[in-house]
Amino acid sequence: MKAKGYSTEFKSSIVDLYNEGRSANSLSNEYHLAVQTVTGWVKNLKSIPTSLILKIVHFLV
């Protein structure tokens, strides 16, 4: 089974909500994601500012 693909913008928005104090559990319930998916995105994107991610995505599109 092929994994679902999520846009960088969506991942960044979830990480932003987590960084604002939301728990991985509440985000996974609200957006129907596995808790491990949320925590993986947080781990991978925590050191990259959202503004930089959006600039890169905009440049590539």
Side-chain angles (χ1 to χ4, degrees):
M1 181 155 92
K2 185 176 180 182
K4 250 186 177 177
Y6 296 99
S7 71
T8 303
E9 292 91 349
F10 179 72
K11 292 177 185 180
S12 295
S13 67
I14 297 298
V15 172
D16 286 343
L17 290 170
Y18 178 87
N19 289 335
E20 291 172 3
R22 297 279 305 273
S23 71
N25 193 37
S26 71
L27 292 167
S28 68
N29 288 333
E30 182 175 341
Y31 293 97
H32 308 286
L33 302 165
V35 174
Q36 295 84 352
T37 300
V38 175
T39 56
W41 293 347
V42 169
K43 181 181 176 184
N44 291 331
L45 297 176
K46 70 180 177 183
S47 63
I48 305 171
T50 302
S51 59
L52 178 58
I53 293 170
L54 293 175
K55 285 179 185 178
I56 293 168
V57 170
H58 183 29
F59 177 75
L60 295 174
V61 175

